[in-house]
Amino acid sequence: MQLVHWPDLQKQGARRWQQLLDEHHELSSLEEYSDFVSSMLAASDFIFEQCRRHPDWLIELTLGGCFEEQMTNLLDRSLWERALNNLDETMARSWLRQRRNRILLWIAWFEFSGQIDVRDSIRWLSELADCAVVAGLNWLINQSQALNGLPCDEQGNPIPLCVLAMGKLGGSELNFSSDIDLIFCYPEQGMTQGGRRRIPNQQYFIRLGQQLIQLLGHVSADGFVFRVDMRLRPFGESGPLAVSYAAMEDYYQNHGRDWERYAMVKARCMNDGTQDQALLKLLRPFVYRRYIDFSVVESLRRMKAMILTEVRRKGLTDNIKLGRGGIREIEFIVQALQLIWGGRIPHLQQRSLLDALSVLGKEKILDETSVDILRSSYLFLRHLENLLQQIGDQQIQDLPEDKLNQSRLAWALGEHSWADAYHRIIQVLQKVSRLFDDTFGHPLPEEQEVDGVYDGLWLEEDDEICHKVSSITEPFYQLVRQFRQRSLRRVMGEKGRITLDQLMPGLLQFIAGYSKPEKLAERIFLILEKILTRTAYLQLLLENPGALKQLLRLCDASILVAEQLSNYPLLLDELLDPQTLYQPVDESCYAVQLDEFMLRIEPDDLEQQIEGLRQFKQIQMLKIAAADIADVLPLMKVSDHLTALAEALTTKVVDLAWQQMVVRYGLPSGVIDVNTRQRGFAVIGYGKFGGIELGYGSDLDMVFIHNCQSYAPTDGLKSIDSKQFYLRLAQRIMHLFQTRSSAGVLYEVDMRLRPSGNSGLLVTSLDSFRDYQREQAWTWEHQALVRSRAIDGDLDIIASFNKIRQFILGRFRDEKTLQQEIVDMREKMRIHLDRSDDSMVDLKQAPGGMVDIEFVAQYLVLLYSNQNPELAKWSDNIRIFETAMQVGLLSECDMRTLMSTYIEIRNEGHRQVLQAHSRLVARKKLSDLLSCMKKVEAIWGHFLGI
């Protein structure tokens, strides 16, 4: 382990060794080991820092003897229990962190120096996590027993909290700087017994779980023990922190998703062997099917596509975990085969990847060569991952770009240069990548015969080409020439230039086949300019002709889609699978899809959380637009999907804002649990949002309501009065919605419909909202209330809001007065907003247009809900008209006229937006619609003609 080939490491090691000798004279006893010690100090910043702080640990490492014996002593669970029992909270936190650092130092020292195998390190790292979790949990239980007692079942028997280890910890395969993925669950509901107060079991376990997360994850001068990730629990971040077994079973039976089956393969109860068996029995039917389950293959292909998308989005070309051929692909191969065959072959129901791999070989599911490749590659990449993380105790999987860390890795791998080490790493990744594709299959690129003419067009080899080929017009030729010249000025690298030259001839041939190739070329070239320096996206289009055809089809049909793809190239990944591109998720599933999407983002990375919300919106809107263009979705369904998407995003934004506020200020008065959705707060949607009629570019009209009656302070370290908490919560929500990032703004939010408009508070109390609607609101504000509904929030507030809305809309109103006020408002709008003229029609403001139809609906609700309360039930115009016909206020003919005209106006409006046009449309294009609008004018005259 000498540093002969690494002069930079030699110098650093000598410097660091001398520094330690100067600071700690007792280390002179290690002088005979100085070459080896200086090598280790140079190899790892983490090792050096720990040895500086604890020179006795360095002496122990150098002279201490057997690694296995030392680990056994350091991880003696009874010793942990005894040590913690005598400590207060501050001392317990410090003891846990120092014990963790000492153990990690031993593991890093022995693995970096090649004295132990990676299998030893991951086993002892997992044992460290088990010790820390179990000892920390038992200490917390003892600390709170006098106050809360112990949770019990109906017979009064104490029941435990089961800490379910997931992922690598579940398989006892933890890496050096890993988070630990946990789920908290317990056998059954009940109450605590034996303490000064009784609380429900769930409340006890949620608080216990929160305390454990803090005990392990809080960063102090000694660092932390483990970062804890709870996002794999049922319903993710929106679910309770601890759930009963019955609730878990119900969740996985009714809501469990494919990726959760993969996650549950490794699930292990860390702190109770009896509960481990009970949970395995409960979860086994969800994870392993009784039959050979080849449905897993399609799920894996989707997950594979998600991995490749992530690689492209984040540029993870040298990421040994997520990149092509990385650790994740090995895990997917093994876990997918476990899920396919595990129901029929119980021996495959293994948590350890290496154990499962051995069974796959014995059962001939994988051949011997494949098993050997996967085993050796997995061990090599896990060792490499540990080395990367042992350098600085950082959670990284990217190969280093700086020379110092490249030297460290190459030295630890036993290579003489970074080039040799890198070559060896790439060979391993390529073997895994080929095996991954061979195991599950991958579509071959479609072959396309390219006319040599288009090679000449792109390479500018023939100035007379326009005269020889009829499909190549002079404007098209000039666009190609201009784009080529612009591309030559971009710094792309050799690989990017070759890929572009391979892509362009076939692309130009496709474009030339469209009716308006110049228009399409302009749009496509705009997108290509954004990805010229991102070779991965050029390769995506080159290797997937199907995706290229989808791109052309969508851009030809809609400039809005073309602009979306140009502004957010990450959306190109969505073109790979036409089945999902043209089939948006079910309206009820946007929230679930969003939770899955956000799982890939660290929960404490606010910037990426916001970015993730915007990316999700762009992806889903592209799918909705694609389905709209392909006539898969009718207009009403387009709006339904756009509205459901906005609802899911609104709920997530409120959740994020709430979590941030609680972390900073604590809980407001009246709220007892951070995880409950009973937060004393609700979001009300108005306008198109409330009416379930959102369009592609719609703002969100919203009002925020709280029911806090107290000025008492919040219960956090930095407390504010509780009413001020809700005002800041509203401000935070607005900030999350409207902050601009690389993926744009999530939504523009319009709050002008709140009580007193722009001069009113951003969030209003329930009582103030009720009083304002009863005593101060204008008729136009009651019209707006017709198109309002609760979007998210406290169920009690929502119920109260619905009662207030029903009461206000159902009040008696004088017919003539109501008619006059509505007509006056409509005339003001028409004077200031109608842009119609002799040649153009304003679809929204013209007589008989959208606003007239909406006003008729609002008039019917406000005048007749007193006698027909069912009119006030709905917030969308279509169902209002249907109800009005059912109660005899509209003839069937008038109802159909209003509905069909309204739908056609919205349809035309969607088409205008897709082409980035305004709502003004040429009269000559709208002959049929204009005759319908004349009929609407007649209906207006019947009800509102004064």
Side-chain angles (χ1 to χ4, degrees):
M1 292 296 293
Q2 297 300 304
L3 299 176
V4 176
H5 299 284
W6 310 98
D8 53 340
L9 294 183
Q10 269 189 321
K11 290 177 183 176
Q12 185 180 65
R15 263 196 321 270
R16 287 183 166 182
W17 173 235
Q18 189 59 51
Q19 183 178 345
L20 289 190
L21 287 174
D22 293 343
E23 293 177 2
H24 306 287
H25 301 299
E26 67 270 27
L27 294 178
S28 59
S29 62
L30 303 179
E31 197 66 58
E32 64 181 291
Y33 306 102
S34 61
D35 286 346
F36 177 67
V37 171
S38 62
S39 298
M40 298 307 299
L41 297 177
S44 165
D45 300 331
F46 170 74
I47 289 175
F48 173 62
E49 186 58 36
Q50 292 303 320
C51 290
R52 273 191 70 195
R53 298 179 68 180
H54 305 282
D56 54 318
W57 292 359
L58 177 56
I59 295 171
E60 178 185 75
L61 274 168
T62 311
L63 305 176
C66 174
F67 173 82
E68 192 83 12
E69 183 180 327
Q70 185 69 13
M71 284 296 100
T72 303
N73 292 334
L74 287 173
L75 288 164
D76 182 338
R77 295 198 185 189
S78 61
L79 183 151
W80 284 56
E81 300 278 354
R82 291 195 303 272
L84 288 173
N85 279 343
N86 300 317
L87 302 178
D88 62 19
E89 182 175 355
T90 301
M91 295 174 67
R93 285 174 183 260
S94 178
W95 190 92
L96 286 168
R97 281 150 181 76
Q98 291 203 28
R99 179 55 60 111
R100 176 258 191 194
N101 290 337
R102 186 177 173 192
I103 291 168
L104 287 191
L105 176 61
W106 270 80
I107 292 171
W109 182 281
F110 275 78
E111 186 170 7
F112 229 110
S113 60
Q115 298 180 71
I116 61 169
D117 184 80
V118 65
R119 281 172 282 209
D120 297 318
S121 63
I122 62 178
R123 174 167 62 92
W124 288 112
L125 287 165
S126 302
E127 180 64 22
L128 167 61
D130 282 14
C131 267
V133 169
V134 174
L137 184 69
N138 291 339
W139 181 80
L140 288 168
I141 291 170
N142 291 335
Q143 293 293 107
S144 68
Q145 189 167 349
L147 176 62
N148 294 321
L150 292 173
C152 296
D153 60 19
E154 291 183 354
Q155 288 74 43
N157 302 310
I159 60 173
L161 175 69
C162 174
V163 181
L164 207 56
M166 308 293 289
K168 289 185 173 66
L169 178 56
S172 298
E173 301 159 337
L174 206 61
N175 60 36
F176 189 80
S177 293
S178 179
D179 295 352
I180 55 175
D181 296 292
L182 304 179
I183 294 176
F184 298 145
C185 50
Y186 54 93
E188 59 184 275
Q189 303 288 10
M191 300 290 289
T192 60
Q193 296 183 24
R196 294 196 296 274
R197 64 177 184 179
R198 300 183 70 201
I199 58 175
N201 285 350
Q202 183 171 43
Q203 184 178 338
Y204 173 91
F205 286 127
I206 285 174
R207 289 183 179 177
L208 182 61
Q210 290 168 340
Q211 291 168 343
L212 181 62
I213 292 168
Q214 276 290 308
L215 181 66
L216 299 178
H218 176 73
V219 180
S220 70
D222 294 307
F224 57 90
V225 187
F226 285 101
R227 293 172 292 256
V228 180
D229 192 334
M230 300 296 300
R231 290 175 296 169
L232 293 180
R233 69 185 188 267
F235 296 109
E237 288 178 286
S238 60
L241 195 64
V243 295
S244 68
Y245 289 1
M248 277 189 78
E249 185 174 27
D250 178 73
Y251 172 81
Y252 289 117
Q253 283 183 355
N254 297 302
H255 306 285
R257 290 152 286 179
D258 286 334
W259 67 263
E260 288 175 303
R261 290 182 63 197
Y262 284 86
M264 281 294 166
V265 166
K266 292 182 177 293
R268 170 175 65 90
C269 183
M270 304 172 69
N271 59 314
D272 191 314
T274 304
Q275 297 304 318
D276 186 50
Q277 293 303 310
L279 276 165
L280 270 180
K281 185 177 179 181
L282 182 150
L283 295 170
R284 189 175 286 116
F286 168 68
V287 181
Y288 295 106
R289 307 294 191 245
R290 292 181 180 177
Y291 47 84
I292 300 174
D293 185 13
F294 286 105
S295 67
V296 170
V297 175
E298 186 55 39
S299 166
L300 180 110
R301 285 182 177 135
R302 289 196 301 271
M303 295 170 82
K304 171 190 172 184
M306 289 171 63
I307 292 174
L308 295 178
T309 297
E310 197 74 2
V311 169
R312 280 191 288 271
R313 283 178 179 161
K314 294 187 175 180
L316 303 176
T317 52
D318 279 338
N319 186 290
I320 63 167
K321 178 181 178 181
L322 300 177
R324 290 290 279 139
I327 296 167
R328 181 65 58 81
E329 288 195 355
I330 299 174
E331 292 172 338
F332 268 21
I333 291 172
V334 175
Q335 287 174 253
L337 292 174
Q338 284 183 271
L339 291 179
I340 291 170
W341 297 95
R344 291 282 293 275
I345 306 173
H347 292 312
L348 266 177
Q349 296 177 19
Q350 301 279 348
R351 290 159 174 154
S352 162
L353 182 141
L354 292 172
D355 291 345
L357 193 55
S358 296
V359 178
L360 289 171
K362 289 176 184 175
E363 296 291 336
K364 309 299 182 186
I365 295 170
L366 283 175
D367 61 67
E368 189 175 330
T369 301
S370 297
V371 170
D372 288 344
I373 290 172
L374 290 173
R375 181 184 292 111
S376 61
S377 299
Y378 179 73
L379 291 173
F380 174 78
L381 292 174
R382 289 300 309 275
H383 176 50
L384 180 59
E385 179 184 40
N386 272 358
L387 294 176
L388 279 167
Q389 297 181 355
Q390 286 161 4
I391 288 173
D393 191 16
Q394 293 179 323
Q395 192 180 26
I396 56 174
Q397 287 94 15
D398 292 304
L399 295 178
E401 296 180 357
D402 61 293
K403 289 185 178 180
L404 175 61
N405 285 330
Q406 288 175 348
S407 297
R408 286 166 161 170
L409 274 187
W411 172 71
L413 291 172
E415 301 293 346
H416 290 137
S417 71
W418 172 245
D420 292 341
Y422 188 72
H423 178 70
R424 181 178 166 193
I425 294 166
I426 294 302
Q427 282 187 318
V428 172
L429 296 174
Q430 288 174 343
K431 284 181 183 178
V432 173
S433 178
R434 284 194 296 270
L435 187 55
F436 186 89
D437 289 337
D438 290 342
T439 302
F440 294 103
H442 53 98
L444 296 172
E446 300 174 31
E447 294 295 328
Q448 176 200 1
E449 288 294 327
V450 179
D451 191 326
V453 166
Y454 293 95
D455 287 297
L457 173 61
W458 173 244
L459 298 174
E460 300 182 358
E461 293 173 346
D462 189 349
D463 291 338
E464 301 298 318
I465 199 167
C466 297
H467 303 299
K468 298 176 182 177
V469 183
S470 59
S471 60
I472 302 177
T473 64
E474 181 64 29
F476 182 40
Y477 173 69
Q478 292 300 329
L479 284 170
V480 175
R481 289 195 64 170
Q482 291 162 14
F483 172 65
R484 178 170 172 77
Q485 292 305 313
R486 292 196 300 272
S487 73
L488 290 172
R489 292 193 292 268
R490 300 290 293 275
V491 180
M492 299 172 59
E494 182 181 359
K495 188 176 182 180
R497 171 60 55 196
I498 291 171
T499 305
L500 182 66
D501 287 342
Q502 290 174 326
L503 170 68
M504 288 308 297
L507 174 59
L508 295 175
Q509 182 170 316
F510 278 142
I511 293 175
Y514 279 78
S515 58
K516 296 180 179 178
E518 299 85 2
K519 175 192 73 173
L520 180 55
E522 285 182 338
R523 296 174 183 180
I524 295 298
F525 293 164
L526 188 64
I527 294 169
L528 291 178
E529 286 195 54
K530 296 292 182 72
I531 62 172
L532 281 178
T533 57
R534 302 171 73 174
T535 305
Y537 281 113
L538 293 175
Q539 287 179 315
L540 181 154
L541 296 175
L542 174 64
E543 296 170 6
N544 296 275
L548 188 62
K549 290 175 182 176
Q550 304 308 325
L551 173 66
L552 296 175
R553 178 185 181 187
L554 292 172
C555 290
D556 182 63
S558 169
I559 190 173
L560 175 72
V561 171
E563 288 175 349
Q564 254 192 305
L565 291 164
S566 171
N567 291 330
Y568 316 113
L570 62 89
L571 296 175
L572 292 170
D573 289 298
E574 307 306 320
L575 306 177
L576 287 170
D577 187 351
Q579 288 185 327
T580 59
L581 176 63
Y582 294 103
Q583 290 291 337
V585 299
D586 188 88
E587 296 156 49
S588 63
C589 293
Y590 281 107
V592 173
Q593 294 276 325
L594 178 56
D595 284 341
E596 290 184 13
F597 188 85
M598 297 297 283
L599 275 173
R600 64 193 179 88
I601 302 171
E602 293 296 328
D604 56 354
D605 191 339
L606 176 60
E607 184 177 345
Q608 285 304 310
Q609 290 272 336
I610 297 172
E611 187 77 357
L613 293 175
R614 286 151 179 74
Q615 288 179 1
F616 181 80
K617 179 197 173 186
Q618 299 295 349
I619 290 168
Q620 300 304 328
M621 286 193 71
L622 175 66
K623 292 182 177 182
I624 295 167
D628 188 1
I629 289 166
D631 291 327
V632 173
L633 287 179
L635 166 76
M636 300 294 287
K637 283 296 181 181
V638 170
S639 290
D640 288 350
H641 277 269
L642 291 171
T643 305
L645 172 61
E647 289 174 7
L649 288 163
T650 298
T651 297
K652 182 61 73 174
V653 166
V654 173
D655 286 347
L656 288 175
W658 177 263
Q659 290 163 15
Q660 292 164 31
M661 290 292 295
V662 170
V663 167
R664 189 167 187 182
Y665 301 112
L667 292 169
S669 174
V671 180
I672 61 171
D673 188 349
V674 69
N675 288 290
T676 182
R677 298 200 66 80
Q678 299 298 94
R679 298 167 174 166
F681 181 82
V683 178
I684 310 300
Y686 274 73
K688 290 181 179 178
F689 195 19
I692 320 176
E693 296 168 356
L694 286 180
Y696 291 110
S698 295
D699 298 346
L700 301 186
D701 292 295
M702 295 196 292
V703 168
F704 301 140
I705 297 176
H706 70 82
N707 67 352
C708 182
Q709 304 295 323
S710 171
Y711 288 97
T714 58
D715 65 2
L717 293 176
K718 183 179 180 181
S719 63
I720 55 176
D721 81 61
S722 292
K723 290 194 175 182
Q724 183 74 4
F725 175 95
Y726 286 105
L727 176 59
R728 294 193 183 180
L729 173 64
Q731 292 169 337
R732 191 70 194 152
I733 292 169
M734 295 288 288
H735 173 76
L736 294 178
F737 266 119
Q738 301 189 141
T739 297
R740 185 168 297 278
S741 73
S742 61
V745 170
L746 188 56
Y747 286 99
E748 295 290 352
V749 176
D750 192 335
M751 300 291 296
R752 290 175 294 176
L753 291 174
R754 67 186 186 270
S756 302
N758 285 337
S759 62
L761 290 173
L762 199 59
V763 58
T764 186
S765 71
L766 189 63
D767 290 343
S768 297
F769 179 83
R770 179 183 57 246
D771 294 344
Y772 181 86
Q773 292 292 340
R774 283 178 171 177
E775 300 164 14
Q776 300 178 54
W778 298 80
T779 295
W780 67 265
E781 290 177 288
H782 288 166
Q783 288 178 251
L785 193 64
V786 172
R787 287 168 62 74
S788 68
R789 65 188 176 92
I791 302 298
D792 177 73
D794 191 308
L795 296 178
D796 292 337
I797 297 182
I798 290 173
S800 297
F801 165 78
N802 289 335
K803 289 179 182 178
I804 293 168
R805 180 179 179 275
Q806 187 76 32
F807 173 80
I808 296 298
L809 298 182
R811 289 201 308 196
F812 172 80
R813 291 174 173 84
D814 177 72
E815 181 175 1
K816 292 299 180 185
T817 303
L818 180 63
Q819 285 177 336
Q820 190 64 57
E821 289 175 338
I822 289 180
V823 168
D824 289 347
M825 175 57 68
R826 185 69 192 98
E827 285 304 311
K828 287 179 184 177
M829 292 175 67
R830 187 167 286 129
I831 291 168
H832 291 98
L833 301 174
D834 187 2
R835 295 181 289 162
S836 304
D837 56 29
D838 292 341
S839 61
M840 307 295 286
V841 179
D842 185 330
L843 290 172
K844 184 174 182 179
Q845 298 292 343
M850 181 180 288
V851 175
D852 279 2
I853 297 172
E854 291 174 346
F855 272 39
V856 169
Q858 292 157 18
Y859 170 77
L860 293 173
V861 172
L862 293 177
L863 185 61
Y864 295 109
S865 289
N866 183 259
Q867 295 86 29
N868 303 281
E870 59 268 44
L871 271 172
K873 179 179 180 181
W874 309 111
S875 61
D876 62 291
N877 294 310
I878 297 300
R879 284 186 289 192
I880 289 172
F881 290 139
E882 288 174 343
T883 306
M885 190 273 288
Q886 291 166 6
V887 299
L889 300 175
L890 282 175
S891 67
E892 185 173 353
C893 179
D894 284 351
M895 177 198 72
R896 294 193 182 282
T897 295
L898 290 166
M899 288 170 55
S900 62
T901 306
Y902 189 64
I903 290 171
E904 184 51 39
I905 288 173
R906 286 175 58 202
N907 243 331
E908 186 62 36
H910 275 318
R911 287 192 286 268
Q912 293 292 102
V913 171
L914 285 173
Q915 292 301 338
H917 295 159
S918 73
R919 65 176 187 246
L920 290 173
V921 183
R923 288 184 181 275
K924 60 185 179 182
K925 286 180 58 180
L926 298 175
S927 56
D928 291 342
L929 183 54
L930 286 173
S931 65
C932 292
M933 290 169 68
K934 284 290 183 186
K935 294 177 183 178
V936 171
E937 287 186 69
I939 296 171
W940 171 277
H942 172 72
F943 286 109
L944 291 156
I946 299 175

